[in-house]
Amino acid sequence: MAEPVVRVPDAKVALSTASVYPESTATAFEIAARLGYDGVEVMVWNDPVSQDLDALHRLSDFHQVPILAVHAPCLLITQRVWSTDPWSKLQRARAAAEKLGAGTVVVHPPFRWQRQYARDFVAGIWRMADETDVRFAVENMYPWRYRDREMLAYAPDWDVTKDDYRHFTIDLSHAATARTDALQMVDRMGGRLGHVHLADGSGSNKDEHLVPGRGTQPCAELLERLARSGFDGHVVIEVNTRRAMSGAEREADLAEALAFTRLHLASAMKARRR
């Protein structure tokens, strides 16, 4: 029997629940199931369902969509979600990942004004990673800019490759906003790259999270590189669909992002077999 022309790569493609905002976490599960995503990444934020492990478990079971990752509540708008203490947030995120069967907790570096948290962050992440099989994958961020002014909002640094972490998350939209070379950053991450937030960007001062292929980032090149290297983490579609004029338009964007991702993962596998 002839071998198939294209082999499906091992990396699973998940939908971030943030990608359906302002729709709900529950809507993300429904869309992920309908479009054929391999799972979801739960962004823990102000939606009560995103904070409720029993509700998340029911959604996962009902739609037959596994929860592959949990994004800890690290945003400005989630400073009071799951406590105001940042370490308590991470402990709850780890417990949530363990209970829900997720393999990864995504975490941002601290804001600079979180001085004690920032001072202990690198060592603290190592301690937490040593206590669980869940990956703590620290995500690259970017400087904040307004007109010609730049503020370094994250500590120890927005470029997480300057510090020693067991696992990293690469976010291509953040790389675009930082105006840094994403593939060079991936090279610095090396074998510690454990998680991918796939979105595009044009280098704007704003964090755009465009559908892959609509900006200037090397989304296709990164996917092909991951497939050739046998990447065993997850690729998460984390795009901004707030401007969608309807649910149908939002789903079309998310279907396009999924098709783009699977195409470039699979095309690299095909090339590797030749």
Side-chain angles (χ1 to χ4, degrees), residues 163-239:
D163 293 287
D164 180 28
Y165 301 108
R166 181 173 292 171
H167 291 107
F168 293 108
T169 296
I170 182 72
D171 185 306
L172 272 72
S173 178
H174 294 176
T177 306
R179 299 171 191 165
T180 192
D181 187 308
L183 294 181
Q184 288 183 8
M185 180 171 279
V186 167
D187 287 339
R188 295 195 296 274
M189 291 178 175
R192 292 181 290 170
L193 174 62
H195 201 68
V196 175
H197 279 171
L198 192 68
D200 219 328
S202 65
S204 165
N205 285 349
K206 296 181 180 179
D207 182 20
E208 296 171 290
H209 284 273
L210 304 175
V211 170
R214 298 185 186 177
T216 60
Q217 289 303 288
C219 297
E221 294 90 336
L222 174 61
L223 292 169
E224 291 164 7
R225 180 186 292 195
L226 294 176
R228 288 193 298 268
S229 68
F231 176 71
D232 65 352
H234 304 317
V235 178
V236 177
I237 303 300
E238 191 184 68
V239 296

Side-chain angles (χ1 to χ4, degrees), residues 44 53 69-74 82 86-100 102 104-107 128 134 136:
V44 180
L53 303 193
V70 173
H71 195 309
C74 307
W82 279 0
W87 290 115
S88 295
K89 291 174 183 283
L90 295 191
Q91 289 164 359
R92 291 190 65 171
R94 179 188 66 193
E98 291 170 344
K99 181 173 181 178
L100 297 168
T104 300
V105 168
V106 179
V107 57
M128 295 193 73
V134 173
F136 279 86

Side-chain angles (χ1 to χ4, degrees), residues 76 108-114 118 141-145 150-159:
L76 281 173
H108 294 179
F111 294 112
R112 294 193 75 85
W113 55 85
Q114 295 175 301
M141 298 305 291
Y142 48 85
W144 289 2
R145 296 190 184 91
E150 181 174 289
M151 182 176 81
L152 300 179
Y154 298 96
D157 205 284
W158 63 263
D159 181 352

Side-chain angles (χ1 to χ4, degrees), residues 75-141:
L75 306 176
L76 281 173
I77 63 171
T78 60
Q79 290 188 82
R80 296 187 177 277
V81 173
W82 279 0
S83 165
T84 56
D85 174 61
W87 290 115
S88 295
K89 291 174 183 283
L90 295 191
Q91 289 164 359
R92 291 190 65 171
R94 179 188 66 193
E98 291 170 344
K99 181 173 181 178
L100 297 168
T104 300
V105 168
V106 179
V107 57
H108 294 179
F111 294 112
R112 294 193 75 85
W113 55 85
Q114 295 175 301
R115 294 181 181 177
Q116 185 61 47
Y117 179 45
R119 189 176 301 118
D120 299 337
F121 184 69
V122 177
I125 290 293
W126 272 100
R127 284 194 302 271
M128 295 193 73
D130 285 338
E131 296 169 355
T132 180
D133 291 331
V134 173
R135 292 177 173 181
F136 279 86
V138 186
E139 183 174 2
N140 63 299
M141 298 305 291

Side-chain angles (χ1 to χ4, degrees), residues 214 241 243-255:
R214 298 185 186 177
T241 63
R243 294 186 178 181
M245 301 301 292
S246 65
E249 185 177 332
R250 174 173 290 108
E251 284 200 34
D253 284 347
L254 298 177

